[in-house]
Amino acid sequence: MDPDFTNRADIADLLGIPRPRTSVCLYPIYRSRVEIPEALLALATQWAQDRSKDPRTKVGAVVYDYETGASFMGYNGFNSGMPDFQVVWDNRERGTPNNKYRFVRHAEANAIEKATKLLGHLHGRNTVLVLTHYPCPDCMTDHIIPAGIKVVFFAEHHDANPTTATLAAIHGIALNQLTPPRTATEQA
């Protein structure tokens, strides 16, 4: 009789794992791997640290499609072709000309644009958006809601605008906070 590889006992026998000495055959399964949203948050965090040139706030985003396993990453930065002038990055005064807020494209906008270019519309797809920071109301109305994303994970909750939560509730979008990943230094 051929082994049944859906049966833990057959798999354990194949691997040479001795059977337990109890009448109940229990084979513990290793369960400490990181869940997908936490892994994507680590990826978004690393992507932002490596790619964003913003000296103050590095934001990363990942759109993940559960059907295909595809990930689409974005970070906050200037549009393609715009030189990274330090004077613009350093100007955080919203009322002045050439402040960074006039030129920076948000991470979620970049990630969603990449996802929709490859996948087409995201409505009805099993996709999630994972962000290093709480999404702003503009990104909710201009990118997340029109894309049809229904689940958003985020880590940082500072500057949380209540309008984001209101928009999420109206449009049936779940906002879930994750614990930020620990850096290699923090793990040591």
Side-chain angles (χ1 to χ4, degrees):
M1 180 167 148
D2 290 333
D4 173 13
F5 290 112
T6 60
N7 181 327
R8 288 185 188 171
D10 286 349
I11 295 170
D13 288 343
L14 178 70
L15 296 174
I17 299 172
R19 289 184 179 256
R21 293 183 179 192
T22 65
S23 59
V24 179
C25 188
L26 300 175
Y27 289 97
I29 300 296
Y30 186 67
R31 298 230 187 260
S32 69
R33 92 175 162 188
V34 176
E35 296 297 323
I36 288 175
E38 287 83 2
L40 294 171
L41 178 58
L43 182 63
T45 301
Q46 188 64 52
W47 190 248
Q49 293 301 316
D50 291 347
R51 301 292 299 162
S52 176
K53 293 179 181 163
D54 190 328
R56 182 181 164 123
T57 308
K58 296 184 180 295
V59 182
V62 177
V63 173
Y64 180 75
D65 182 50
Y66 278 94
E67 293 171 30
T68 63
S71 299
F72 305 91
M73 298 180 287
Y75 59 92
N76 61 320
F78 295 152
N79 283 315
S80 297
M82 165 104 179
D84 285 305
F85 293 121
Q86 189 66 41
V87 67
V88 176
W89 279 117
D90 291 341
N91 183 358
R92 295 192 325 267
E93 296 296 323
R94 290 187 188 268
T96 62
N98 298 328
N99 69 70
K100 80 172 191 171
Y101 303 106
R102 293 179 182 235
F103 297 102
V104 171
R105 187 147 191 249
H106 287 196
E108 47 268 66
N110 289 321
I112 290 169
E113 180 182 308
K114 289 176 188 176
T116 54
K117 276 184 182 176
L118 244 73
L119 298 174
H121 67 84
L122 302 178
H123 292 274
R125 292 188 75 95
N126 191 5
T127 57
V128 296
L129 173 64
V130 180
L131 300 163
T132 57
H133 291 70
Y134 194 73
C136 72
D138 291 338
C139 283
M140 288 294 287
T141 58
D142 296 343
H143 306 289
I144 298 168
I145 293 167
I149 294 171
K150 294 296 183 185
V151 179
V152 176
F153 294 95
F154 63 92
E156 303 272 334
H157 202 280
H158 69 281
D159 299 333
N161 189 319
T163 304
T164 295
T166 302
L167 287 166
I170 290 169
H171 293 280
I173 298 170
L175 294 173
N176 305 294
Q177 188 168 13
L178 296 172
T179 303
R182 297 182 342 184
T183 64
T185 310
E186 292 171 330
Q187 291 174 6

